[in-house]
Amino acid sequence: MSRPRVLLADDHGLVLGALEALLARDCEVVGTVTDGRALIAAAARLQPDVIVLDIAMPLLNGLDAARQIKRMFPRMKLIFLTMNEDAELAAVTFRAGASGHLLKHSAATELLSAIREVMAGRSYVTPLVTEGLVTSLLRGPDVPVRPELTPRQREVLQLLAEGHSMKQVADVLKVTPRTVAFHKYRMMAQLNIKSTAELIQFAIKQHLV
């Protein structure tokens, strides 16, 4: 049986190095990336079987990257590996298309177990969040944003919250600064937010940064 082809995504180089060393014997690590936009490009180029990714990544967070990848490549398996122990956030990762969810302080062998499970068509959740995850999933879908933001608005919001200027955001998204400004002020009106600082706080609460 061939080894699973795995793509790794995390914004910490030390984490990527440790994961690559851990998986080297049992998996073929086809690439490593440090931001969500590079992840989408690498997924299209490398066509991995499994992507191991974090939630908090620059330029595009793991949740929004996962949603785009699953739309383009439904058969790719996604395993989130995160520091956040919030069971509700684990539920959000599965709604975004995840097949697995682990914590970074889980046992190293647990990641290999998760890869084997998702390659067999099953899901894997670390026992550290299982009980809370079931409760969160039973509660139903995510509570919508007031009102729900579009994918493009979420992209603009994350980049602004990371400290990019409107021109820099425009360059990343390949749109005009005027378009970025339109999205920013439309969001502020939708969310009844009066300042950029409030907008950044909202982005943090939404796990966009």
Side-chain angles (χ1 to χ4, degrees), residues 13-47:
L14 287 175
V15 172
L16 287 174
L19 290 174
E20 196 166 6
L22 168 68
L23 300 177
R25 192 180 70 176
D26 299 279
C27 304
E28 180 188 352
V29 178
V30 296
T32 61
V33 294
T34 56
D35 69 74
R37 294 194 173 279
L39 172 57
I40 292 172
R45 185 177 72 255
L46 300 170
Q47 294 289 308

Side-chain angles (χ1 to χ4, degrees), residues 125-203:
V125 186
T126 179
L128 298 172
V129 298
T130 303
E131 183 177 345
L133 172 62
V134 171
T135 302
S136 296
L137 288 171
L138 288 174
R139 269 207 303 266
D142 308 339
V143 176
V145 177
R146 325 173 305 260
E148 188 173 1
L149 300 180
T150 66
R152 178 44 59 92
Q153 285 176 325
R154 289 168 62 85
E155 289 177 329
V156 169
L157 178 55
Q158 175 173 346
L159 291 166
L160 290 173
E162 288 174 358
H164 297 282
S165 68
M166 287 201 207
K167 184 179 184 310
Q168 289 170 328
V169 174
D171 289 342
V172 171
L173 298 179
K174 296 180 173 54
V175 297
T176 65
R178 184 188 294 268
T179 299
V180 174
F182 168 79
H183 286 303
K184 175 184 176 180
Y185 295 114
R186 180 71 182 270
M187 281 187 286
M188 292 175 73
Q190 284 177 262
L191 301 169
N192 195 27
I193 285 174
K194 306 300 183 188
S195 69
T196 300
E198 283 184 62
L199 198 60
I200 292 171
Q201 285 299 313
F202 178 82

Side-chain angles (χ1 to χ4, degrees), residues 48-117:
D49 300 312
V50 180
I51 298 174
V52 178
L53 69 161
D54 197 0
I55 293 173
M57 289 192 292
L59 300 183
L60 186 68
N61 64 85
L63 290 169
D64 284 332
R67 292 183 182 105
Q68 291 190 36
I69 289 168
K70 289 301 282 188
R71 279 198 298 270
M72 294 185 292
F73 312 108
R75 293 186 179 182
M76 281 186 194
K77 306 297 185 182
L78 306 177
I79 298 175
F80 278 89
L81 185 64
T82 178
M83 292 288 291
N84 197 311
E85 299 183 20
D86 183 359
E88 178 60 39
L89 189 55
V92 174
T93 66
F94 277 92
R95 294 183 191 120
S99 294
H101 186 99
L102 289 79
L103 300 180
K104 286 187 176 177
H105 59 262
S106 301
T109 53
E110 194 176 357
L111 178 56
L112 287 167
S113 297
I115 291 172
R116 282 192 290 268
E117 286 294 297

